Amino acid sequence: TGADPLFQKNRIHDEPEIGVLVDTNGKGTFDQNEIFANYDHGVQVTSGATPSFRKNRIYNSAGTGFFVTAEGCADGEETKGVLENNEIFANNMAGVRIVNNADPQLNGNRIYRNTKAGIFVTADGRGNLVGNEIFGNVLAGLEISFGGNPVGTRNTIRDGA
């Protein structure tokens, strides 16, 4: 609870479930890591966690590249976090999935060649999307459903497959 680790320039791969799980009000700075080939999600952020992910490569996960949910939050808690200048690509589901009132900040990421949407916001997920380049995803660059309510500014969404 409340952990605040620093992870830089690591290779996190071939985990039987999730490559990186930030849970229960966890924080942390994850900078310039390679997170790939994990059985479920590359990264999962949940239960009031607020980590920062910068300049990472998150790819080839069997599930979503970066999954963020406020599930498990106590009243008044929010799951936020910052994704900035990451490359998120070639995941078997969405590149980024935001659900259950989670509200992350996505700035300047390249999100491409994912099997589903580049960014999927659903189930009352929110998110502030600024200056991201989203391209070459199979289903949609940005998919919004079931009460998803993101805010976007200066994003480029192009070249859906």
Side-chain angles (χ1 to χ4, degrees):
T1 301
D4 194 7
L6 172 62
F7 269 72
Q8 294 179 302
K9 299 181 181 176
N10 297 286
R11 290 172 46 96
I12 302 165
H13 60 91
D14 296 304
E15 288 296 319
E17 290 198 26
I18 299 164
V20 175
L21 173 64
V22 185
D23 194 9
T24 316
N25 300 314
K27 294 178 178 56
T29 300
F30 298 83
D31 184 44
Q32 300 177 58
N33 297 291
E34 195 169 358
I35 303 167
F36 64 99
N38 295 293
Y39 182 75
D40 196 358
H41 309 305
V43 176
Q44 182 171 327
V45 176
T46 188
S47 300
T50 57
S52 295
F53 283 80
R54 291 188 171 88
K55 298 180 183 175
N56 299 285
R57 293 180 45 149
I58 303 168
Y59 62 97
N60 283 350
S61 289
T64 296
F66 196 98
F67 178 60
V68 59
T69 176
E71 186 174 353
C73 283
D75 286 341
E77 287 182 334
E78 290 188 315
T79 301
K80 288 189 175 269
V82 174
L83 280 78
E84 190 167 64
N85 299 320
N86 298 286
E87 256 190 290
I88 303 170
F89 64 98
N91 295 288
N92 198 44
M93 300 297 280
V96 177
R97 184 173 178 196
I98 304 168
V99 302
N100 297 331
N101 294 305
D103 192 17
Q105 176 77 37
L106 279 69
N107 301 326
N109 298 288
R110 295 184 72 224
I111 302 168
Y112 60 96
R113 286 191 0 242
N114 296 287
T115 302
K116 304 286 183 180
I119 299 175
F120 181 31
V121 185
T122 189
D124 300 314
R126 297 189 308 266
N128 191 13
L129 318 176
V130 179
N132 298 287
E133 185 179 7
I134 305 161
F135 61 95
N137 296 286
V138 174
L139 289 185
L142 174 62
E143 181 178 353
I144 303 167
S145 68
F146 299 108
N149 195 24
V151 174
T153 308
R154 297 186 320 273
N155 297 287
T156 299
I157 302 171
R158 62 178 172 83
D159 301 331

